[in-house]
Amino acid sequence: MADTGPGGPPAPGPMARAREAVSTRNDISGTVYGAAVQAHSIGMLTIQEAAPAIVPGAPVPRTLPPGTRHFVDRDSVLAEVAGLLDEALPAGGTEATEGGGAPLVVVLWGPGGVGKTATALRLAAALRSRFEEGQLYANLRGASAATAVTPSEVLLRFLRDLGVHPEYVPADQDAQESVFRTVTAERRLLTVLDDAHSAAQVRPLLAASPSSLAIVTSRTDLGRLVVEYGAHVIRLGPLGTPDAVGLLARLGGTGPGVEAVARRCGGMPLALCAIGARAAGAPQPDWELLEREMAMSGGADDTRGGESSMRDRAGEQEASADAADEPMRGAMDVSYGNLSQAAAKLFRLASLRPWRHVTPGAAAAAAGISQDEASTLLAELAAARLLEEIPGQAHYRCHDLWRQYAERHALAEDGIAGAAAAVRRTLLWYLRSAAAADACVLPGRWHLSPAYARLVGRPAAYENGRSALAWLRDERENLAEAVRAAADHGLDELTWQLCEAMWGLHLRLGFHQQWISTHRLGVQAAARCAEECPEAEGRMRTQLGFAYLGLAEYGQAQVQFEEAAAADRCAGHIRGEATAVESLGLLHLKQERWADAAECFRTARGLARQVGDPRALALLEHHLGRSLQGMGRHEEAIGQLGHALELMRALPDPYNEARVLMSLGRTLIDAGRAEAADEPLGRAATVMASEGSVVQQADLAELRADRAHRTGDTEAEIRCLEEALALHERTGAPRTGAVRARLEGLERLERREAAGKETGRREAGGLGQERAEEVPEEVSGEE
């Protein structure tokens, strides 16, 4: 059945509960949180939930990577940017003096290998003391349109870095931009956006505060940023000969011929660093010999024959124009020629795709060697400056110019067949690794891929689902690249299997734009595999439907779910059809089409009974109970949810059992049996506390407040709202303002009632005194 995370989509949320608990009038008094509308008359008023807040105690983001120690020149660039900063953002000030409220944007542009990233990081290191409220970094991978990351991917990371709880980071990019503007509007931030492909990629990532600075690097001047934000553009050219010599001296020492080598490198820092590393590896560098080797190089021209035969590279060939420059190629040839044969082969075969990073496991698969051997060879490549080691991780990053150089050599030296075999081995490694992780994240779901069958009887690859999910998240961009690679190479069976193995990643963490792009390829590949695996198309369409569902693109989601059901019905795949129909029902729940949802769940239940999956049947009984609840058929819903509860206990599945208990409690409250809701809500609270589910605990506290409201127990309602508020504040939930407003309203009501009682007491006391004075003295004496 459709595994929609722990228990599927949540029961009617806080906004729905607020509609039930609060009557709406066309007047407002007291404190208003969130948006307010002033009008002569209002026909219908819709107030959306506020944007999420920063989690209290969240650390200030300081995500700038360390810069290189071998840095020369660019002092004039630093002085220029510091001057711009002094003019636009005075030190210690909080407001920009010009720019119309826009942040200060500096664009460093120049050819690949000229040192833009190193310069940006040096600038950021020099200026970060002026931005103590946060420093953010993102590699936009903009060497080509194919590798450029989407703004949404970066916004997801930025929002979490800034302290927005993951539960409240929106899935839709427009909503992400809105939240990002909200949380950066009052913060003085420094942002480095490295290797941008276009102005459109950069715009959503600019902080809203005019007191912020964004340093952008690109191979183009990004002229639209000048027009729209008044960006200051600084072109970086090659180093002058004295500075180039200085960089070589820092890396490998001095000696006769060093100046000639510097000239051969054309002043390009990427080439200078590679040659410097080559010289540093010798006891006494022979610069004259290096210069002769560079002068004799030219073999790169002979390596280009097979490139276009493997796949169309028109876009990347434009991006690699700099690599064809003779000085750069000469330095590359000398560095590559000095590698051991094994390291050179690994370098070639691990660089055939634009992986975000290279790990020993993936590199070992590409080269067909052990992981220990791959680790040793990767260290050799890093020492030669052909790869960059990522601090604190066993990961390596390859500059796109080096990657293109390695790919050309792979096609020339290993041939198209050898290169294709290396890609296939790498994809198989990613598939098996992802399946092993996914099986730990969602251990109870069914699978189609043979990669999961290999896991049966083996120990779990990870200690728990959290660590497995962390691996999937870390390798997310490489997994997406693996799907694209499989599609490019016509490996349809691997394309859809890789998509299936990413289900737990996307279901738990989102990344909806990537989800849609990969699973569209998965649907196409599965359709072409209809003879080998007729069940695959339905599986892919159902998963793609959930991606659209997460973005609230309900029309697209419905199309995918309906086509998935049809494909599975045609294939005779009952389990898949049941899942697709159930998924359609979950869509209808989102749309509050309760009767349509119930019909889908009944149909799916009939199909699931043929399969005999106890967990699927338990989930469907819960979903059906929720649809009955939505229709207001409370007594039927209570019986239905009681049955679902029995099935969940028999599994057992404590978390989903608690979710059923929450639905049961909500239904009992709506049915006017508020006291009966105490027991299921209390049991659910115990489970959610043990699970550490703060968000669910907050929802439960609001449910208990609703229960108290129905019985007129204002003191208990206040206590529960105070608990809910404390939990919401821990996560920066959007509900925080609404709960606080409700709590303050009740407290004001309590004070008014208390004041009224006091007034009544005093009035009663005053009347008694007057009456006492009217009593005759003798009567009083007789008493």
Side-chain angles (χ1 to χ4, degrees), residues 217-417:
T217 74
S218 179
R219 298 186 190 189
T220 63
D221 61 7
L222 303 180
R224 293 300 305 172
L225 294 182
V226 178
V227 175
E228 297 172 8
Y229 292 92
H232 298 267
V233 178
I234 301 173
R235 178 177 173 82
L236 296 185
L239 297 175
T241 300
D243 290 307
V245 170
L247 180 55
L248 287 177
R250 289 189 184 187
L251 291 163
T254 60
V258 66
E259 186 171 332
V261 169
R263 285 196 296 270
R264 287 281 182 190
C265 290
M268 301 298 283
L270 183 69
L272 291 162
C273 287
I275 287 296
R278 164 80 169 87
Q284 181 62 43
D286 189 337
W287 294 105
E288 293 176 327
L289 176 60
L290 281 174
E291 195 273 337
R292 288 194 298 272
E293 290 178 357
M294 293 176 69
M296 293 172 60
S297 73
D301 287 334
D302 300 327
T303 67
R304 303 178 66 85
E307 182 173 3
S308 60
S309 301
M310 190 172 182
R311 59 189 176 96
D312 184 11
R313 293 288 187 169
E316 289 198 2
Q317 286 174 358
E318 288 182 16
S320 67
D322 296 321
D325 182 73
E326 190 67 30
M328 285 285 289
R329 225 174 36 240
M332 288 177 158
D333 286 346
V334 170
S335 298
Y336 175 74
N338 189 55
L339 296 173
S340 67
Q341 185 176 356
K345 181 178 180 180
L346 182 138
F347 179 55
R348 295 192 305 270
L349 299 182
S351 304
L352 287 165
R353 298 293 301 191
W355 308 112
R356 182 178 183 270
H357 56 247
V358 178
T359 62
I369 59 178
S370 72
Q371 189 163 319
D372 287 342
E373 289 179 276
S375 296
T376 301
L377 297 175
L378 287 170
E380 179 183 340
L381 292 168
R385 301 297 288 266
L386 275 69
L387 295 179
E388 175 192 358
E389 185 174 7
I390 301 175
Q393 306 177 54
H395 296 169
Y396 296 83
R397 187 181 294 119
C398 185
H399 193 285
D400 61 279
L401 296 183
W402 272 121
R403 192 197 68 75
Q404 292 158 15
Y405 177 92
E407 182 182 29
R408 289 195 298 273
H409 277 270
L411 293 170
E413 298 180 42
D414 303 286
I416 295 175

Side-chain angles (χ1 to χ4, degrees), residues 7 69 137 175 199 321 468 571 573 670 718:
R69 291 181 299 167
Y137 173 85
H573 187 213
D670 292 346
I718 289 174

